[in-house]
Amino acid sequence: MSKALLISRKTKIKLAQKKYKNPSAENIDKFKQYNTLYKTMIRKAKIDYYQMKFSEYSKDIKNTWKTIRELIGSKSTFSELPNIFVSEGKIYTKERDIANGFNDFFVNIGPKLANEIPSSEKHFSTYLKNPTHQDFIFANVTHQSVLECLSRLKSKKSAGNDKISTSLLKEIMPSVLNPIVHLSNLSLKTGYIPDHYKQAKVIPIYKSLDKEDFTNYRPISLLSTFSKLLEKIVAKQMFQFLNKFKILYEHQYGFRPKHDTTQPILQLLDKIYEGLNSEDQKYSVGIFLDLKKAFDTVHHETLLQKLNHYGFRNVTNLWFRNYLCNRTQYVTIGNEVSDINSILCGVPQGSVLGPILFLLYINDLPNATNLYTTLFADDTGFLISSTNIKLLEKQANTELSKAFEWFKANKLTLNVAKTKYIVFRSPKMRFDQNTFDIKINNISLERIGNNCKDTYFKFVGVRLDEFLNWNQHVKHISLKISSANFVLNQAKKLLPLNIRMLIYNSLVKSHLEYGILAWGNAKSKEINKISIIQKRIIRTLSNSKYNAHTDPIYSCLKILKFEDILQYNSITFMYKYTNSILPDSFTNMFGEINQRSRNIRTDKIRYKTLCTYPKAFLPKYWNSLNMNLKYSSSIKVFQSNAKFNMIEAYKSFTCRKSNCYSCKKP
């Protein structure tokens, strides 16, 4: 508190005391006047303080959000660990004991789960088909390749056990570039990796449920910056090889360049809608698998043999063996550090290569069944369709038993209790839930749907229901963006416009855009709810009256309306499609492209209820664009021009009401 405020506070206290001792009209009036002045001073000081803070953190997003949470009285999502943990009847209270407890749990969970898996009649190699005949060979590491990979490492990431941050390495790189290039080439040629590169500092991150239980935390490995740089170099070369020979499963969308979370949802929906749109409407059963500690339970020897199958042989296989073997880790809790433990299985979470190695480990899962399979890393969705519901049940159970054998052979644990299924159908299609039963290992799976415990399933962040009416997802989005409006309302007078825009982009726009191609064309009754909330938010954002016209505000702030967000994302997707920027799995998803007009032939939609069918509305948005926009030289130019045109349209707004309250001058 400043000196002026302290003096004012003392003056206020004296006037308050004088008022209580002698409550005359004069003393009461003096106190009221000064109290009003004092509150104004406090408010101004608060505004000055937070504006100074936000100015100081203009390029520091972490501290910016810390300040926002401080302002609105919200707790950080990374809450402190409790002082007590209980595991297998043992109580941990000291920080070092808690750190050791975490470390023991993290390194032993993989071997423990593997030992509980019953032996399989089949060997994992049974499912490996079409070995890659071309051998992967490490390319020579150049100065340019090191600098490129270093630039892609995030500077804000925490340092590992060597305490050298990425930002520091970037500063000193001119001095150490030659030794790094030499050591990197030496490592790749010999297959040797220094042991200190393989030691991880592990931070437990809380997920959900009981905070005093080790099982409800995820280990995040902080590795040496030099190790991450070397892994980045290797990862770049690996992806070039994997893409060239198309080794990765076509419908695997996790951790791959040009792939995102929206794509597996669109592919899954396309198959479901295809069945519903057929002349004889088909039922579709979607089965969504849950794996226990998937990354932590990868069997090293199995992975190395799979790498050999996919072309990573000889010295490269030796390098990966060295990468996986003799790995160690320790856990930090506060100022305490655990003992160092050896890692016997799993790939490190937080590493660069860990996700790629996991993709190769699970790459042959689709070979185990005849089910349509879509993957986002370990998030697995199976789909099977038929006009005959009883035949569908039989086929699903048969194929799931095959998949279960694959998991046993590959020493991965399927969490049957959390594996669920949905029978996708139209409301007019008959379905007797009492006679329909899907099982894995003789355990009945939980069904998602009406009259069930759960009415939706969250797959890759999007809530799916049996009729695909998107009610539950729209409700979720509405709640999320309403909470953002609450945040803005709380602090709109203290936050500068750039920070309010940051909150909007982070807490509103991100939710509106996520998976919008799947659910954004839902029934207008549902979508109108979101549009109304969005209007309320931008009025708050701009400090406008509650009934102000919103088109001028959208134009001024350069914010798209929800219906235009849908159109913008739709035409962006179609630009990528027509220019072959999307993954190969989307090739020929839509009709033929007219090479002159760039229009796409739309497929006939038999049933009006299929309004959210991407093939029903995506081509229509694209075909409505003018020729010049379709022929944009790049996607950035296309997006810029498309958004500009939408914003410009808001400027032409004119109120046509003869007696509009919003237009009345105060």
Side-chain angles (χ1 to χ4, degrees):
M1 191 176 285
S2 66
K3 189 176 179 180
L5 281 176
L6 284 170
I7 294 170
S8 298
R9 188 168 178 268
K10 287 178 181 178
T11 305
K12 177 191 166 183
I13 292 169
K14 286 179 180 178
L15 289 171
Q17 289 171 344
K18 192 174 180 180
K19 182 190 74 169
Y20 286 117
K21 286 179 181 178
N22 181 19
S24 64
E26 185 184 355
N27 288 342
I28 292 171
D29 191 52
K30 279 185 179 179
F31 173 77
K32 283 183 178 179
Q33 287 182 11
Y34 198 85
N35 191 43
T36 303
L37 178 65
Y38 179 73
K39 285 180 179 178
T40 305
M41 291 175 69
I42 289 288
R43 195 178 298 112
K44 187 178 181 305
K46 220 172 178 181
I47 292 170
D48 292 343
Y49 169 78
Y50 282 109
Q51 285 184 344
M52 181 268 293
K53 278 281 187 183
F54 288 125
S55 176
E56 184 183 343
Y57 300 139
S58 59
K59 295 183 180 179
D60 189 342
I61 195 68
K62 185 178 179 181
N63 277 312
T64 296
W65 278 109
K66 187 178 178 181
T67 308
I68 291 170
R69 286 192 291 269
E70 174 193 318
L71 176 59
I72 63 175
S74 173
K75 293 182 179 179
S76 172
T77 53
F78 301 101
S79 55
E80 293 184 1
L81 296 176
N83 297 320
I84 185 169
F85 279 82
V86 181
S87 178
E88 298 179 349
K90 190 175 179 181
I91 299 174
Y92 301 81
T93 55
K94 296 180 179 178
E95 279 192 346
R96 180 168 174 80
D97 292 339
I98 292 172
N100 280 321
F102 265 119
N103 205 26
D104 291 340
F105 172 75
F106 289 148
V107 300
N108 291 320
I109 184 63
K112 185 179 178 181
L113 288 173
N115 291 332
E116 293 174 355
I117 299 172
S119 58
S120 173
E121 296 177 359
K122 295 185 176 182
H123 193 260
F124 73 86
S125 60
T126 309
Y127 304 99
L128 294 172
K129 298 177 181 180
N130 303 322
T132 306
H133 298 293
Q134 184 72 34
D135 285 354
F136 172 81
I137 301 171
F138 285 122
N140 190 54
V141 179
T142 64
H143 290 68
Q144 186 62 30
S145 62
V146 170
L147 293 173
E148 283 178 6
C149 291
L150 181 63
S151 66
R152 293 176 184 175
L153 290 177
K154 295 180 179 178
S155 299
K156 301 296 181 183
K157 290 287 184 179
S158 301
N161 61 312
D162 59 5
K163 299 181 181 179
I164 298 175
S165 65
T166 305
S167 56
L168 176 60
L169 183 58
K170 288 180 178 180
E171 288 289 330
I172 64 171
M173 181 51 70
S175 305
V176 297
L177 180 57
N178 286 334
I180 287 176
V181 171
H182 174 71
L183 291 172
S184 298
N185 280 316
L186 197 62
S187 172
L188 300 182
K189 286 177 183 177
T190 60
Y192 176 77
I193 303 172
D195 285 345
H196 71 272
Y197 274 26
K198 298 183 286 185
Q199 187 175 87
K201 172 184 174 183
V202 174
I203 307 295
I205 300 297
Y206 172 69
K207 294 188 294 183
S208 61
L209 303 177
D210 186 5
K211 284 190 174 184
E212 297 176 355
D213 190 345
F214 294 135
T215 61
N216 297 322
Y217 290 79
R218 178 184 291 110
I220 298 298
S221 301
L222 302 179
L223 298 164
S224 160
T225 305
F226 293 101
S227 171
K228 287 189 285 188
L229 181 57
L230 180 60
E231 287 188 47
K232 201 79 173 178
I233 293 167
V234 173
K236 184 181 177 182
Q237 295 188 22
M238 283 183 75
F239 270 124
Q240 288 173 347
F241 179 80
L242 295 172
N243 293 335
K244 182 179 180 180
F245 296 100
K246 297 183 177 181
I247 292 169
L248 290 175
Y249 175 56
E250 185 181 27
H251 297 293
Q252 169 63 266
Y253 299 96
F255 308 116
R256 298 176 68 181
K258 297 181 182 179
H259 293 66
D260 58 49
T261 52
T262 300
Q263 292 165 1
I265 301 165
L266 287 180
Q267 286 287 358
L268 190 72
L269 289 175
D270 186 55
K271 293 293 180 183
I272 297 168
Y273 283 123
E274 193 177 287
L276 290 173
N277 193 49
S278 59
E279 193 169 343
D280 297 324
Q281 284 193 315
K282 294 179 180 179
Y283 299 88
S284 292
V285 175
I287 305 150
F288 304 97
L289 309 186
D290 185 86
L291 300 181
K292 289 184 180 178
K293 306 291 181 181
F295 277 66
D296 299 320
T297 55
V298 169
H299 188 255
H300 287 173
E301 199 59 43
T302 302
L303 173 59
L304 288 166
Q305 291 189 47
K306 287 189 176 186
L307 285 170
N308 187 76
H309 177 84
Y310 294 125
F312 299 88
R313 305 179 182 105
N314 304 317
V315 175
T316 57
N317 199 274
L318 176 64
W319 190 91
F320 284 108
R321 180 178 291 278
N322 205 294
Y323 174 83
L324 293 168
C325 296
N326 299 321
R327 298 196 77 88
T328 57
Q329 68 174 46
Y330 62 90
V331 173
T332 60
I333 303 292
N335 296 319
E336 293 292 339
V337 177
S338 74
D339 298 331
I340 297 173
N341 287 357
S342 297
I343 303 169
L344 301 177
C345 63
V347 291
Q349 296 190 52
S351 66
V352 177
L353 287 177
I356 308 172
L357 294 174
F358 183 81
L359 296 187
L360 288 167
Y361 192 81
I362 205 170
N363 195 51
D364 57 307
L365 169 59
N367 298 338
T369 76
N370 293 316
L371 299 170
Y372 171 78
T373 308
T374 185
L375 296 159
F376 189 87
D378 61 326
D379 287 341
T380 306
F382 287 147
L383 192 75
I384 185 169
S385 303
S386 177
T387 55
N388 188 321
I389 191 69
K390 294 307 294 182
L391 179 63
L392 189 60
E393 179 188 23
K394 184 181 178 181
Q395 290 175 336
N397 283 316
T398 301
E399 296 300 324
L400 279 177
S401 65
K402 296 178 183 177
F404 188 69
E405 277 299 317
W406 182 93
F407 284 106
K408 288 196 296 182
N410 286 273
K411 302 185 185 301
L412 290 175
T413 305
L414 186 63
N415 191 344
V416 179
K418 291 185 178 180
T419 296
K420 302 177 183 182
Y421 73 95
I422 303 176
V423 180
F424 295 105
R425 67 192 193 282
S426 75
K428 294 180 180 179
M429 296 169 72
R430 292 182 180 179
F431 175 69
D432 187 355
Q433 62 181 23
N434 298 316
T435 62
F436 195 85
D437 192 21
I438 302 281
K439 295 181 178 181
I440 295 180
N441 197 30
N442 293 320
I443 301 172
S444 294
L445 302 182
E446 182 185 337
R447 188 177 76 86
I448 303 294
N450 291 351
N451 304 317
C452 296
K453 179 185 172 184
D454 296 316
T455 57
Y456 68 87
F457 182 82
K458 189 169 71 172
F459 181 62
V460 208
V462 174
R463 286 154 172 76
L464 300 170
D465 60 84
E466 61 184 339
F467 300 131
L468 296 176
N469 55 28
W470 305 106
N471 294 351
Q472 292 296 328
H473 192 76
V474 170
K475 183 180 177 182
H476 168 73
I477 297 295
S478 300
L479 288 171
K480 283 288 185 182
I481 63 176
S482 292
S483 64
N485 191 43
F486 173 76
V487 170
L488 287 166
N489 254 321
Q490 270 194 304
K492 62 183 179 182
K493 293 182 179 178
L494 297 174
L495 296 171
L497 181 60
N498 65 313
I499 301 300
R500 298 200 300 272
M501 287 297 296
L502 173 66
I503 293 173
Y504 175 85
N505 289 329
S506 302
L507 304 183
V508 179
K509 184 185 174 186
S510 60
H511 288 297
L512 294 179
E513 287 191 333
Y514 187 82
I516 193 172
L517 299 185
W519 60 270
N521 205 47
K523 293 179 180 178
S524 54
K525 180 183 174 182
E526 297 297 325
I527 297 304
N528 285 341
K529 296 175 184 176
I530 291 178
S531 296
I532 291 168
I533 299 171
Q534 190 192 22
K535 287 180 180 180
R536 197 181 300 150
I537 290 169
I538 67 150
R539 289 186 182 113
T540 305
L541 191 64
S542 61
N543 280 325
S544 302
K545 294 190 295 183
Y546 74 94
N547 60 349
H549 290 302
T550 54
D551 276 54
I553 305 174
Y554 282 118
S555 175
C556 180
L557 298 177
K558 293 181 171 52
I559 292 174
L560 295 178
K561 300 177 184 178
F562 178 76
E563 56 267 30
D564 288 330
I565 293 175
L566 173 61
Q567 184 176 352
Y568 175 81
N569 281 271
S570 299
I571 60 178
T572 298
F573 180 86
M574 296 309 293
Y575 180 89
K576 291 178 179 178
Y577 176 80
T578 56
N579 289 275
S580 304
I581 303 174
L582 290 171
D584 292 342
S585 58
F586 286 90
T587 305
N588 301 322
M589 183 177 185
F590 300 91
E592 295 179 2
I593 303 172
N594 186 307
Q595 295 304 318
R596 190 178 70 82
S597 64
R598 305 298 289 170
N599 283 354
I600 296 175
R601 181 176 59 82
T602 56
D603 291 352
K604 182 182 177 182
I605 308 301
R606 298 176 184 275
Y607 305 95
K608 291 181 180 179
T609 54
L610 302 180
C611 59
T612 55
Y613 192 8
K615 287 183 179 178
F617 69 91
L618 289 178
K620 289 182 180 179
Y621 279 132
W622 175 257
N623 293 344
S624 66
L625 299 178
N626 65 63
M627 192 82 73
N628 291 334
L629 193 57
K630 290 177 186 175
Y631 277 98
S632 297
S633 57
S634 69
I635 188 158
K636 287 186 177 180
V637 173
F638 174 82
Q639 289 175 318
S640 176
N641 291 337
K643 186 175 180 179
F644 176 80
N645 293 340
M646 291 174 183
I647 299 292
E648 282 295 301
Y650 304 155
K651 293 180 180 179
S652 61
F653 169 81
T654 52
C655 182
R656 297 180 181 179
K657 293 182 181 179
S658 58
N659 191 23
C660 177
Y661 186 79
S662 301
C663 296
K664 289 181 179 178
K665 295 182 180 179

